[in-house]
Amino acid sequence: MKKPAAHLSPREIFGGNLRRLRRLKDLSQEDLALAADLSRVYVSEVERGLRNVSIDNMAQLADALEVELKELVDPDMFQAMQKKIG
Amino acid sequence: MKKPAAHLSPREIFGGNLRRLRRLKDLSQEDLALAADLSRVYVSEVERGLRNVSIDNMAQLADALEVELKELVDPDMFQAMQKKIG
DNA sequence: TTGTGACTTATAGTCCGTG
DNA sequence: GCACGGACTATAAGTCACA
């Protein structure tokens, strides 16, 4: 049993998944920003849920991390990932 | 065997899923717009992939249709739905 | 390496009409 | 019930200097 993953906003879910996945791939915000053709500051703010990011930029970020967009908006991305990885 | 669902942009996937789901629930664009607190014209354009919709509005639209956001960005929403419905 | 505030400019999003 | 257009206003996008 784990705790029930509080009521996060979609922004926060997206941002959190983005950050965790980025770190998993050992990328800095700047690396990711470059790969997604966005600014580092912008990525930083998206990760913290401060920006109301658009679907185009969400897609670029997903691309840069080589995941599907639906994974990044999934509140349970972690559990899903652990099933895959084992 | 069905055809392999062409290379749609995330906007088009989202818009298409939105439209199909809306019609499935027998809602007009205006009904949906009202429920999601958006303008009807805007909903029309999002459905056609003309707008770069933001995550907040995507979430409102998902809410209004009573589905999860990840379903609306899923290129294979239909197959997934048919498994559920049977 | 990341966060913050201040800022400009592009475009998201609305409201009014029309066919 | 929907697509399309023009004219608007709100806000997302993007950049900088500095902590």
Side-chain angles (χ1 to χ4, degrees):
Chain A
M1 270 284 273
K2 277 301 307 300
K3 76 163 150 359
H7 324 55
L8 297 170
S9 70
R11 289 186 191 197
E12 290 167 332
I13 291 165
F14 182 83
N17 286 346
L18 193 67
R19 171 161 292 188
R20 287 188 289 265
L21 219 57
R22 171 177 66 77
R23 286 180 171 159
L24 208 62
K25 300 215 168 194
D26 250 314
L27 299 171
S28 68
Q29 289 179 346
E30 186 150 17
D31 293 333
L32 175 56
L34 198 69
D37 198 28
L38 295 168
S39 86
R40 186 197 57 78
V41 171
Y42 184 67
V43 168
S44 161
E45 293 177 344
V46 168
E47 284 188 349
R48 283 171 294 135
L50 302 180
R51 294 276 191 160
N52 188 11
V53 60
S54 72
I55 191 170
D56 283 3
N57 284 348
M58 291 167 77
Q60 286 174 221
L61 288 164
D63 253 35
L65 288 178
E66 300 175 296
V67 293
E68 291 194 49
L69 179 48
K70 59 184 274 203
E71 300 195 55
L72 287 182
V73 299
D74 186 354
D76 302 319
M77 188 199 71
F78 260 149
Q79 287 94 312
M81 242 176 46
Q82 286 172 348
K83 273 190 198 167
K84 271 195 180 178
I85 299 173
Chain B
M1 270 284 274
K2 276 301 304 303
K3 78 162 143 19
H7 321 58
L8 297 170
S9 70
R11 289 188 191 196
E12 289 167 333
I13 292 165
F14 182 82
N17 286 347
L18 193 67
R19 172 162 292 187
R20 288 188 288 266
L21 219 57
R22 171 177 66 76
R23 287 180 170 159
L24 208 62
K25 300 216 168 194
D26 249 312
L27 299 171
S28 68
Q29 288 180 345
E30 186 150 18
D31 292 334
L32 175 55
L34 198 69
D37 198 27
L38 295 168
S39 84
R40 190 196 62 71
V41 170
Y42 184 66
V43 168
S44 161
E45 293 177 344
V46 167
E47 283 189 349
R48 283 173 292 140
L50 302 181
R51 292 287 189 158
N52 187 13
V53 60
S54 71
I55 192 170
D56 283 4
N57 284 347
M58 291 167 76
Q60 286 175 220
L61 288 164
D63 253 36
L65 288 178
E66 301 176 297
V67 293
E68 290 194 50
L69 179 48
K70 58 184 275 201
E71 300 197 55
L72 286 183
V73 300
D74 186 354
D76 303 319
M77 187 198 72
F78 260 149
Q79 287 93 313
M81 241 176 47
Q82 286 171 349
K83 273 191 198 167
K84 271 196 179 177
I85 299 175

